[in-house]
Amino acid sequence: MSGNEKKKAGKFRYRIDILLIVSLFIVLITFCAYMMNTGLEETLEKERGEEIVTHDYTYDDSSEA
């Protein structure tokens, strides 16, 4: 293997590494954007087809008195 061929092989490998890092970064950004914009209750309700019980502190307390 001559010096020129070795240099090309190293350059190609380096670009694969950059491509892999950029791809992982894009996947991470996409995942974070999805998690920030999608509510858990909304997703569970869509999958289960029924209302999800959550801790809602805005209910009326007059029934306890």
Side-chain angles (χ1 to χ4, degrees):
M1 198 177 211
S2 70
N4 195 18
E5 290 176 12
K6 207 178 216 182
K7 188 176 180 182
K8 283 185 180 181
K11 191 174 184 180
F12 180 70
R13 184 176 176 191
Y14 179 68
R15 294 193 188 259
I16 294 283
D17 293 345
I18 290 176
L19 183 63
L20 184 64
I21 291 170
V22 169
S23 299
L24 289 174
F25 188 67
I26 290 171
V27 168
L28 182 66
I29 289 175
T30 305
F31 176 73
C32 290
Y34 172 76
M35 293 304 287
M36 289 174 64
N37 293 321
T38 306
L40 178 61
E41 292 86 5
E42 175 186 320
T43 304
L44 289 175
E45 186 176 332
K46 196 183 302 180
E47 287 183 9
R48 295 181 65 182
E50 59 188 46
E51 193 83 18
I52 304 299
V53 177
T54 60
H55 297 285
D56 185 11
Y57 298 109
T58 60
Y59 62 91
D60 188 17
D61 282 335
S62 62
S63 62
E64 291 182 13

